[in-house]
């Protein structure tokens, strides 16, 4: 306590790295090891680990980012009896892992060696390894934790769907809970991408589908609405093609007159001197003049300019 209080003074300068040998001897002594002068001195049931308190103070209050300090702190938290310490640390500083000062790979190895499986799932999620995080959560039997990690995949719909299907497989086949599977499909908070047709193959051949009846009816209604929308789209496409066919037939019989004295509206020379376009408004323009005007003043992209030259 005196040391922690002293480090809060602005005039007190301390390099925590130099205290590591003493902290490690203290740690060995509290575990009943032979290091240091306090051999075999275990912590009392309600006595806090002073080395852990000091390292937490260094990282949280003194903003110490020395890898030696942070790794030893992670090791102590991972090997503590409760899971709350390491989980609180990861919630507070885990975001600093991928591009910052916290070594998430070391954190994962330390938690894995200590059997802190839920903390391992948190670290995998922080590293963006959501598939492995879902597997770890399902291994713990924590469906909510698995759904939380599956929902973090936003940029790849196929991967997202595969992870949710893995959760549905666990719920249906491993737990045999039909109602939980239906609740999974209706999970609006997590925006489950699965539909009833994705879950049906997971059930055994002779399964009671009373719980699935409503979901199946809803799915059939969705398909019916989708079919109606496709039919309407086909009808609209047919009407559009019919109008285009009618316009093309009218264009075949359309004609116009060009006088020998008519001039191109762009270059003011005789319009019959070269190939021309005659528009419905009876304006006649040289083909080359139209091309130059479109390229220079049409505001076209490079691809559109190339297309104009090809035409």
């Amino acid at each position: 306590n005196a040391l922690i209080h002293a480090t809060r003074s602005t005039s007190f300068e301390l390099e925590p790295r130099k205290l590591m040998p003493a902290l490690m001897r203290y740690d060995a002594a509290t575990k009943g090891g032979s290091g240091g002068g306090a051999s075999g001195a275990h912590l009392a049931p309600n006595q806090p680990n002073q080395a852990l308190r000091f390292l937490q103070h260094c990282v949280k209050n003194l903003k110490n980012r020395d890898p030696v300090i942070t790794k030893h702190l992670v090791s102590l938290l991972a090997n503590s009896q409760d899971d709350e310490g390491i989980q609180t640390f990861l919630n507070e500083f885990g975001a600093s892992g991928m591009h910052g000062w916290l070594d998430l790979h070391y954190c994962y190895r330390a938690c894995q060696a200590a059997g802190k499986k839920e903390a391992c799932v948190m670290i995998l999620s922080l590293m963006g390894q959501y598939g492995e995080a879902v597997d770890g959560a399902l291994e713990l039997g924590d469906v909510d934790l698995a759904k939380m990690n599956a929902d973090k995949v936003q940029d790849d719909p196929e991967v997202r769907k595969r992870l949710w299907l893995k959760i549905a497989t666990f719920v249906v086949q491993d737990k045999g809970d039909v109602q939980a599977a239906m609740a999974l499909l209706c999970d609006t908070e997590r925006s489950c991408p699965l539909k009833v047709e994705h879950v049906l193959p997971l059930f055994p051949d002779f399964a009671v589908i009373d719980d699935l009846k409503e979901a199946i009816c809803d799915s059939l209604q969705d398909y019916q609405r989708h079919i109606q929308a496709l039919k309407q789209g086909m009808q609209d496409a047919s009407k559009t093609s019919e109008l285009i066919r009618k316009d093309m037939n009218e264009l075949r019989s359309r004609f116009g007159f060009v006088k020998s004295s008519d001039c191109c509206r762009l270059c003011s020379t005789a319009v019959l001197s070269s190939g021309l376009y005659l528009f419905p408004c009876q304006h006649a323009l040289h083909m080359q003049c139209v091309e130059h005007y479109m390229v220079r003043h049409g505001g076209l992209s490079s691809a559109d300019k190339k297309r104009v030259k090809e035409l």
Side-chain angles (χ1 to χ4, degrees), residues 15-37:
E15 294 185 29
R17 177 191 279 255
K18 293 183 177 181
L19 291 177
M20 283 302 300
L23 294 173
M24 296 182 74
R25 285 197 299 270
Y26 171 84
D27 185 45
T30 56
K31 292 179 180 178
S34 58

Side-chain angles (χ1 to χ4, degrees), residues 262-276:
D262 288 346
C263 295
C264 173
R265 295 302 181 98
L266 293 176
C267 66
S268 300
T269 60
V271 73
L272 293 176
S273 61
S274 63
L276 59 89

Side-chain angles (χ1 to χ4, degrees), residues 50-238:
Q50 300 300 335
L52 179 59
R53 286 189 61 225
F54 175 71
L55 292 174
Q56 287 176 320
H57 169 67
C58 291
V59 172
K60 184 174 182 179
N61 299 322
L62 301 183
K63 311 298 182 185
N64 189 291
R65 302 299 182 249
D66 189 334
V68 175
I69 299 298
T70 57
K71 287 182 178 180
H72 191 56
L73 173 59
V74 168
S75 179
L76 292 179
L77 290 170
N79 287 283
S80 61
Q81 293 183 353
D82 66 327
D83 294 348
E84 184 178 354
I86 185 64
Q87 292 178 16
T88 301
F89 176 81
L90 291 172
N91 284 327
E92 188 171 359
F93 300 107
S96 304
M98 292 307 296
H99 306 290
W101 50 269
L102 185 61
D103 188 347
L104 289 177
H105 294 281
Y106 178 83
C107 295
Y108 181 78
R109 291 194 299 271
C111 292
Q112 190 178 41
K116 297 290 193 293
K117 294 184 178 181
E118 190 168 347
C120 288
V121 174
M122 293 178 63
I123 296 169
L124 289 170
S125 181
L126 289 170
M127 292 192 294
Q129 299 180 17
Y130 302 119
E132 291 80 357
V134 169
D135 290 338
L138 294 179
E139 185 179 346
L140 291 170
D142 193 335
V143 176
D144 289 335
L145 182 60
K147 291 194 295 184
M148 182 181 69
N149 282 282
D151 197 49
K152 291 181 179 180
V153 180
Q154 299 292 339
D155 55 348
D156 194 333
E158 289 301 320
V159 173
R160 176 182 170 86
K161 180 180 175 181
R162 186 169 68 249
L163 294 180
W164 277 93
L165 191 59
K166 186 178 296 185
I167 298 172
T169 302
F170 173 81
V171 172
V172 174
Q173 296 183 351
D174 294 2
K175 301 184 72 173
D177 193 339
V178 178
Q179 293 183 350
M182 292 301 98
L184 188 70
L185 299 180
C186 301
D187 191 345
T188 56
E189 181 182 357
R190 301 292 182 189
S191 302
C192 178
L194 300 181
K195 295 182 179 179
V196 67
E197 59 266 26
H198 300 132
V199 180
L200 280 177
L202 303 177
F203 291 97
D205 295 336
F206 300 98
V208 179
I209 63 170
D210 289 345
D211 296 322
L212 302 174
K213 182 169 62 176
E214 184 177 352
I216 293 174
C217 292
D218 291 340
S219 181
L220 291 174
Q221 289 177 359
D222 289 339
Y223 276 116
Q224 185 177 6
R225 286 192 290 267
H226 183 62
I227 291 172
Q228 292 297 331
L230 289 176
K231 287 183 177 179
Q232 184 63 40
M234 293 174 63
Q235 292 176 359
D236 293 342
S238 298

